[in-house]
Amino acid sequence: MEKGKVVVEKVGPSDTDAVWIYSLTYGGGIVSGDSISVEFTVGDGCTAVLTTQASTKVYKSMGSKCSEQVLEARIGSGALFALIPDPVTCFSTARYSQKQVFRVVSDSSLVIVDWFTSGRHESGEKWDFEHYRSTNHIFSEGDQPVFLDTVLLEQGGATRIAERMHDYQVIAMVIIYGPKLKHVQDQVQENVKKMMSQQLYVPSTRLGHHAKTNSDHCLTRPAFIASCSVFGPKEAIPIGQG
């Protein structure tokens, strides 16, 4: 098990200063059975960005061993924390679980990007991993839940993951939270609305053709789907897209 603890303190003017942190793993990926735990504390008035140098590769599992990562971050008053990694890419048969917990106060701001791909396309692997689980929790003062979310994909059952995902190759969720990001939240909300209005718009003549002939089972599936919804305080907006 690897453990790490990072404390970000103010080292310059709050209106210009930001600390950028890159996470690294031995061998450029996570091996079966690895367990990684990291804690972050972002001090009052500070800005910190956590990212990666490349996609997080999760290698093939050995038996039933599951690789895992746990991150816990505390964001202080007037502080901003942005978690913007490259996507997780699980190899064939991989088993992976991650949990991210964020503790905020009333004027903390937070950006979380949580996304993963279908696998190694160049090797013909698409949704071939065995288990993927990602949990994101945000708590305010007094451990009051603000946002609770879990994504779980695993093989088995009536259909395999590839069948359920059809032709989509990436799933992403972006959470934008806090007073410093109000203008970004408003813009994203408007952009998603316009984008999906165009993607899903079907002229009435086409609808009539489909209704009369029934020659197609369904309308063409859009290449990109995005949705946007508000949670908690009005300024907090998560965006899920795939």
Side-chain angles (χ1 to χ4, degrees):
M1 173 180 286
E2 297 179 26
K3 292 185 177 181
K5 188 171 184 178
V6 179
V7 177
V8 179
E9 298 178 346
K10 190 179 295 184
V11 293
S14 60
D15 58 342
T16 60
D17 184 62
V19 175
W20 282 73
I21 303 164
Y22 291 83
S23 63
L24 303 173
T25 56
Y26 293 113
I30 300 176
V31 178
S32 177
D34 276 356
S35 182
I36 300 171
S37 178
V38 180
E39 294 181 21
F40 277 85
T41 300
V42 183
D44 295 348
C46 295
T47 297
V49 180
L50 175 60
T51 185
T52 54
Q53 291 189 317
S55 63
T56 299
K57 302 170 184 63
V58 183
Y59 296 117
K60 295 183 177 183
S61 64
M62 302 295 291
S64 60
K65 289 183 179 180
C66 185
S67 307
E68 64 176 18
Q69 287 198 101
V70 177
L71 180 147
E72 183 163 350
R74 296 179 180 274
I75 300 92
S77 176
L80 168 63
F81 180 52
L83 176 62
I84 49 175
D86 291 283
V88 173
T89 297
C90 294
F91 289 22
S92 177
T93 76
R95 301 178 64 87
Y96 175 73
S97 176
Q98 69 176 26
K99 183 175 183 180
Q100 302 180 142
V101 178
F102 306 89
R103 301 188 184 278
V104 299
V105 295
S106 59
D107 60 347
S108 301
S109 295
L110 181 63
V111 177
I112 304 169
V113 178
D114 185 11
W115 58 322
F116 60 101
T117 72
S118 60
R120 297 184 298 172
H121 289 202
E122 70 280 3
S123 300
E125 297 178 5
K126 296 181 180 180
W127 306 114
D128 286 339
F129 53 83
E130 290 295 321
H131 176 95
Y132 175 90
R133 183 186 184 97
S134 179
T135 297
N136 288 284
H137 289 172
I138 302 175
F139 295 99
S140 62
E141 297 161 284
D143 282 337
Q144 290 297 313
V146 176
F147 179 81
L148 305 174
D149 179 82
T150 296
V151 174
L152 173 62
L153 290 176
E154 55 187 358
Q155 305 291 5
T159 59
R160 292 184 62 80
I161 297 173
E163 296 177 68
R164 284 173 259 159
M165 292 300 158
H166 299 284
D167 294 325
Y168 297 111
Q169 306 301 326
V170 178
I171 296 178
M173 179 174 68
V174 180
I175 301 173
I176 304 171
Y177 178 89
K180 287 189 175 182
L181 302 168
K182 183 65 170 66
H183 65 291
V184 178
Q185 296 160 6
D186 294 340
Q187 188 61 58
V188 168
Q189 212 171 13
E190 185 62 28
N191 289 347
V192 169
K193 181 179 179 181
K194 289 181 179 179
M195 183 190 310
M196 294 316 299
S197 295
Q198 295 170 355
Q199 285 272 357
L200 299 176
Y201 172 73
V202 180
S204 58
T205 53
R206 285 180 57 192
L207 284 173
H209 173 74
H210 279 275
K212 290 179 181 179
T213 64
N214 290 321
S215 58
D216 296 315
H217 294 292
C218 60
L219 299 176
T220 302
R221 184 181 294 112
F224 178 87
I225 297 176
S227 65
C228 181
S229 60
V230 176
F231 71 90
K234 291 183 178 179
E235 68 270 12
I237 299 176
I239 303 118
Q241 54 193 24

